[in-house]
Amino acid sequence: MTDFLTGVVLLFAGGLGAIVAGERAKAWVFFGFTAAAQFFILPPVFEILLNGGQLVLPAYFSQPIGTAYLRLDSLAALFASVTSVGALLTSIFSIGYMKIYRGQGLSSYFVFLGMMSASMLLVEVAQNAILFLIVWELMSISSFFLVAFENGNEEVRKAGLYYFIAMQAGVAFLIAAFALASAASGSLDFSSFATVLSKHGSVSILLFVLFFVGFGTKAGVFPMHTWLPRAHPAAPTGVSALMSGVMIKTGIYGILRILLLSGIPDYRLAYGVLIISVITAVFGVMNAVAQNDIKKLLAYSSIENIGIIGMGIGVGMLGLVYNNPLIAMLGFVGALLHVVNHFTFKSVLFYGSGVVYSQTHTRNMDNLGGLGKYLPLTSLMFLIASLAITGLPVFNGFISELAIYLGLARSFSAGSIAMIVAALFGFSALAFIGSMALLCFTKVYGICFLGLPRTKYHVEPNERERTLLVPMAMLTVVIVGIGLLPWITIDLLKNVIMEFVPSLNPDQLVPLTGIFRTISGALAAVIGLVGLFYGLRTFLLRRRKVAEYKTWDCGYQVGSSRLQYTSSSFAQPFLHLVAELVPQKIHVEKQPVLFPEQASLESHTQDLSERFIFRPMIGILNKFLNLFSWIQSGRLQLYIMYGLVFLVVLLIWILGVK
Amino acid sequence: MPAAVTEIIIVISPLFLIGLTAKVKALWAGRKGAPVLQPYYDFFKLLGKGEVISTTTSPVFRIAPSIGIAATFVALMVTPIPIFGSFIHFEGDFVLFAYLLGLAKFLMVLGALDTGSSFEGMGASREVTYSTIVETAFFIVIGSLALLTRHFSFESIFASVNLSSGYSPLVKILLVVSLFIMLLAEGSRVPVDDPTTHLELTMIHEVMVLDYSGPDLAFVQYAASLKMTVIAILIADLFLPSSVPLMVACVLSAAIVALVFVSVGVVESLIARSRISHIPQFLFLMTTLALTSFAVVAFFLFGVIK
């Protein structure tokens, strides 16, 4: 445990080290510290993942925390491994990416990056309510400063504030939940919450809902997801990757931690989690399809994947409710594996979008195109990550989605009609989500990297900055590795799964390993056949003429690259189908003459949750709070008087009237 | 040994079946039509030709047909052949089946976008839009079969589907019709798409492959017909009675597959291609049928209907 904490301190110290370092050396110093931290964090983490057990360290604080336990168990270890590696990759990426920000407050960037990485790790081990809330807030605040890094830009400032407010709203639920839990259990330690949470009744349901809303806000669960599509595009790309790949997973971690303490959940909660997760995933990917800003699209896609993880959790909970360890195991394997998988491919996609942005200075896909020729390596890795996030075979996304599919399919043999209907709902929804993801990522990759540039690039894009590619390359190896050798992950997940499904016989994991081995054979067949057919093609063409000519344009000779399908037009037929769910505002301007020379068309997508839930809610809140506006007179004397009156009332309250 | 022979016959047959459909259409229209083996002549001719490749494209364009055909082949290995079963089978193999077809689609769409042609972009955009409906409905079909048989792999589902109880004929008919709609959609046939109109704004699949030529085009066309054959085999799986001698079963399932392709030709002769805006409605029919069959199974299982 001391090793682990040394690593955390090193991450934090990396930021401080960057302050004193010279402008050019800051990123390298930070990288040095972060890399060193890995040697302290990863060994205990993998030790626990592989062998089980836990590391405990009691820490003595003054009141009100008291004795707080820092525990690294297998669940914490799984998330800590992702967090630690994520921090390392972003520190590598920042070496190249942050060059253009030299002289613009780089110190603060690294200080907060160190703080954010360290606090995420502490969130995963802190098991005392107050300590947890402190590190949780530290994580939110440090990431807020990172989101608002380019605060010269008004949009970024707005996004930052939006993020900040969303996080505070979320933590309000957590504070309420922890207060209630510790009042009912009489202790601040997590392990004592188990007595309250596992007792079925209205209290445990209320607690779970409060925790779910609080943690769900961080994770991006519908309808509390609205901060993601704002904060992710605003943040510097390395931070977006860390936020999307790692930070939102702390919300998932929180939900799982509460679940672990709840024992067998109430059946209503299990159905609730499954349904809300399906809505989250469908809503996320549908909106992702509609976006033209590449980072906004990736943010919505993160919401989708949080939904998929949630579906896994829901299936796992249903398995526990109906006392079917096999279904529970499949659900949790899917959820936990998808946590890791989403970290790998979403980080690659964000880093890739960072490379694109650093070279073209635009995030609007309608201005991009043909980047594959300029950025071949980025293009290849982006393609692999796109295939993986769509859940297609040969890559890791397929494996985690398959586990969730299996859990849902197994539920068809359950005895409860509600579970069967829920299983079909999840089953078909997962297929729907997958096919929409296919639409979404053929769009991203096809529009940005293939075809011709839609606008001229003023400076030819290049990938000479190799530090931008290293993190992507490392993750791509993992994506392909898990995809081809999926059974290895079972060993890493085994101990976590056993904690969630104590009734599971370890032998029941064997069939899953068998399935994964068969798949790995099938995938090898795919790769072999691709090689065979491509070889055949090359062989057939070796003496034939292969001419290069322009694309067949049906005889129309004056086309330009502007004629290509754009990201908006590619998504249009689908958006037309779901117009009620993803409303678009279209603004057309044309000249009412016979031969118009100029015309413009703008389309904006509206987020339903923002339009129908948050705007009206904030409106009501504003009206209500306006009633008290007379208190704010602006005179200092009055404010001091308020304080005094409050103190006097407090004094009376504490000492008693008698 | 018989399994290997069957597999080889299946690998050879798709082009014949496509020729069969064309022949039916010709005869229906009162023409003599091209020989049934014409697709083979085309296939080998294309394999022997050179290629014209657009200067706009990247390596994705060149490797897409190879990935497409390879993925469809492995999908065939997962498909249970009547009586013989499948080469690769495990619990949840239908997910692999659907996602392999998805992989092929993903790459073909990228190949189309790689040419930078707005024409091919249009086809690609429609292809992915309609597949969102078809894919979802396909999983509902699988869901009802899994509920009916309580098995979770393609092979065991279809091995036991014919042993099920009295209400299964109704379910089977619903499922066969939905699979047939899937075949029309995935195979780009009338009324979803018209394979004979090369340069019209109404097309989907054919327009996506406009820029392919030579061996690549041969791969694309073969993969398309193989995909249709695979779905036709699933239909045959549903129909085939379980207790018949090996030879009879072989002949019978071959006849069913051929009949499916003849029906495709008949459908194409009888109805016109739908307007683009009506296609989703047609495809939602598949969803409705699949959901109905699921409901029927569930109602019977829980004794709501007796």
Side-chain angles (χ1 to χ4, degrees), chain B residues 178-193:
Chain B
S178 31
L179 282 176
F180 189 69
I181 295 176
M182 177 177 173
L183 181 128
L184 293 180
E186 290 284 310
S188 326
R189 312 300 296 202
V190 174
V192 179
D193 192 2

Side-chain angles (χ1 to χ4, degrees), chain B residues 253-266:
Chain B
S253 39
I256 294 171
V257 170
L259 189 69
V260 168
F261 277 84
V262 170
S263 327
V264 171
V266 173

Side-chain angles (χ1 to χ4, degrees), chain B residues 135-211:
Chain B
E135 181 120 332
T136 312
F138 177 67
F139 273 86
I140 303 177
V141 169
I142 296 296
S144 6
L145 283 171
L147 183 63
L148 179 69
T149 60
R150 306 269 162 144
H151 284 284
F152 312 106
S153 96
F154 250 166
E155 195 181 56
S156 42
I157 283 177
F158 285 112
S160 56
V161 73
N162 294 298
L163 305 171
S164 315
S165 48
Y167 57 88
S168 60
L170 173 62
V171 177
K172 269 192 212 166
I173 291 169
L174 290 168
L175 293 181
V176 163
V177 178
S178 31
L179 282 176
F180 189 69
I181 295 176
M182 177 177 173
L183 181 128
L184 293 180
E186 290 284 310
S188 326
R189 312 300 296 202
V190 174
V192 179
D193 192 2
D194 191 344
T196 54
T197 58
H198 257 338
L199 282 176
E200 293 196 18
L201 288 172
T202 50
M203 299 175 328
I204 304 170
H205 181 257
E206 289 298 317
V207 80
M208 280 170 61
V209 301
L210 261 186
D211 264 270

Side-chain angles (χ1 to χ4, degrees), chain A residues 79 208 212 251-253 255-256 259 265 269-270 273-274 277 306-320 328 330-336 339 404 500:
Chain A
F79 282 83
F208 189 88
F212 190 80
I252 295 291
Y253 163 78
I255 293 170
L256 287 172
L259 201 58
L269 294 175
V273 168
L274 182 65
S277 303
I306 287 294
I308 295 177
I309 295 170
M311 284 171 74
I313 297 176
V315 173
M317 286 169 80
L318 278 176
L320 289 178
L330 289 168
F332 285 120
V333 165
L336 293 168
V339 165
I404 299 177
F500 277 100

Side-chain angles (χ1 to χ4, degrees), chain A residues 330 373 383 386-387 390-394 398 401-402 405-406 409-410 412-417 420-421 424 427-432 434-436 438-439 441-443 445-447 450-452 515 518-519 522-523 525-526 529-530 533-534 536-537 540-541 544-552 554 563-565 569-571 573-574 577, chain B residues 47-58 60 62-63 66-67 69-71 73-74 77 88-92 94-96 99-100 102-103 105-107 109-110 113-122 124-126 128-129 131-133 135-136 139-140 142-143 146-147 150 152 199 210-211 215-216 219 280 284 291 294 298 302:
Chain A
L330 289 168
K373 292 191 196 68
L383 176 61
S386 301
L387 289 164
T390 311
L392 292 173
V394 193
F398 175 70
E401 286 194 24
L402 178 80
Y405 270 120
L406 277 175
R410 279 259 162 202
F412 287 131
S413 61
S416 144
I417 182 103
I420 287 175
V421 172
L424 181 78
F427 200 62
S428 50
L430 200 51
F432 189 42
S435 54
M436 285 191 283
L438 192 148
L439 202 174
F441 283 92
T442 45
K443 162 173 144 164
Y445 187 78
I447 300 295
L450 302 178
L452 292 171
I515 291 175
T518 319
I519 288 176
L523 300 186
V526 176
L529 279 172
V530 170
F533 281 110
Y534 198 72
L536 176 68
R537 172 190 184 273
L540 287 169
L541 288 176
R544 299 285 164 191
K545 190 177 160 212
V546 178
E548 297 225 330
Y549 196 68
K550 63 181 179 176
T551 299
W552 167 237
C554 314
L563 267 181
Q564 288 175 98
Y565 244 49
S569 45
F570 187 75
F574 177 75
L577 275 181
Chain B
L47 283 184
K49 279 189 172 257
E51 287 194 359
V52 182
I53 287 177
S54 163
T55 46
T56 313
T57 57
S58 66
V60 172
R62 260 151 278 181
I63 199 158
S66 305
I67 296 182
I69 194 171
F73 255 111
V74 180
M77 290 189 208
I88 303 170
H89 49 88
F90 53 90
E91 199 180 300
F94 45 81
V95 183
L96 181 65
Y99 277 48
L100 279 170
L103 177 67
K105 191 169 283 169
F106 197 108
L107 266 298
V109 165
L110 289 188
L113 287 173
D114 205 5
T115 61
S117 148
S118 47
F119 227 30
E120 295 183 42
M122 190 182 295
S125 148
R126 285 172 185 162
V128 286
T129 303
S131 81
T132 58
I133 305 172
E135 181 120 332
T136 312
F139 273 86
I140 303 177
I142 296 296
L147 183 63
R150 306 269 162 144
F152 312 106
L199 282 176
L210 261 186
D211 264 270
D216 278 341
F219 287 173
F284 277 126
L291 274 177
F294 189 86
F302 285 89

